[in-house]
Amino acid sequence: YALLGMTFWQLFATGVTSGGNSLTASGDMITRINFSRKSLVLSSIGKPLISFFIQLILITVLFVFYRIVPAKTVLLAPLVLIPIILLTLGIGFVMALLSAIVKDTGNFLALAMSLMMYATPVLYSKPMKGLLLEITRYNPMYYLISAGRDLALKGTIIEVNGFILSVIVSIILFTASIIGFHLTETRIAERI
């Protein structure tokens, strides 16, 4: 349970952090070469995806070792991966722009991802009451992570409405952020 949650979370957190730092890490290249800066943020998801698939292989080994047979719906888990990637890239585009304007955004981003992990039920089940329940209710990553976990362990997505809403939020955020990034991309070289 916790390992599956951490696998999805690390894809998100590492992708957002590397996407947010992608422009400042490539500052010299941005000022010298004329190319689409979107490619830097889009390529930042590559390393976390490779790490994600390696972790899935290790999880498969654990399933075999403990003789746990995942539900057949685990084959639908790549469909859950798409909105996680879209949400990751959407936030990555916004953070990349902020990082180009405010230099310490990268340091804040790493800290924020650590704190958000504890506010998202990754290592524990969804709280039944209190402030953490309210935070979880409006956290799209909770629904995306639990959908992938539910498909592997339970055979169905338990909170379908929250998952559908999180997918819609992911698509809207990705679309809006890539359009905003495209409109401001020509001024990025001046800021870095």
Side-chain angles (χ1 to χ4, degrees):
Y1 182 86
L3 203 55
L4 281 170
M6 280 303 296
T7 302
F8 286 111
W9 178 260
Q10 284 181 337
L11 170 66
F12 170 73
T14 309
V16 168
T17 304
S18 60
N21 294 330
S22 62
L23 295 181
T24 53
S26 305
D28 289 339
M29 187 168 63
I30 289 173
T31 56
R32 295 176 191 202
I33 303 170
N34 187 16
F35 66 99
S36 176
R37 276 72 170 172
K38 287 186 285 294
S39 62
L40 292 172
V41 180
L42 289 172
S43 67
S44 68
I45 196 73
K47 182 179 173 186
L49 268 175
I50 291 170
S51 176
F52 174 80
F53 288 120
I54 291 170
Q55 289 173 349
L56 280 184
I57 292 170
L58 296 175
I59 288 173
T60 304
V61 169
L62 284 175
F63 273 112
V64 170
F65 180 77
Y66 287 110
R67 294 185 181 105
I68 299 172
V69 178
K72 293 177 183 174
T73 54
V74 76
L75 299 174
L76 298 175
L79 295 177
V80 174
L81 196 60
I82 294 169
I84 291 175
I85 292 171
L86 290 178
L87 184 64
T88 302
L89 287 173
I91 296 173
F93 277 117
V94 172
M95 290 292 124
L97 286 176
L98 283 175
S99 182
I101 296 169
V102 181
K103 298 298 179 197
D104 289 334
T105 303
N107 297 333
F108 169 75
L109 194 55
L111 178 64
M113 286 294 117
S114 297
L115 293 175
M116 280 181 56
M117 185 185 81
Y118 295 111
T120 305
V122 175
L123 300 172
Y124 55 90
S125 60
K126 181 180 176 182
M128 294 299 146
K129 60 182 178 177
L131 178 64
L132 204 51
L133 173 65
E134 294 303 315
I135 293 171
T136 301
R137 188 173 288 155
Y138 298 106
N139 185 349
M141 272 312 291
Y142 161 71
Y143 297 105
L144 297 176
I145 289 172
S146 70
R149 214 172 11 205
D150 290 346
L151 284 173
L153 300 176
K154 298 177 183 173
T156 184
I157 297 175
I158 304 299
E159 299 186 52
V160 176
N161 292 336
F163 174 70
I164 292 171
L165 188 60
S166 296
V167 170
I168 292 169
V169 166
S170 299
I171 292 169
I172 290 172
L173 180 64
F174 174 74
T175 306
S177 65
I178 200 165
I179 290 171
F181 191 90
H182 178 72
L183 293 174
T184 58
E185 146 174 64
T186 55
R187 297 184 189 145
I188 291 174
E190 300 167 3
R191 294 298 224 168
I192 292 183

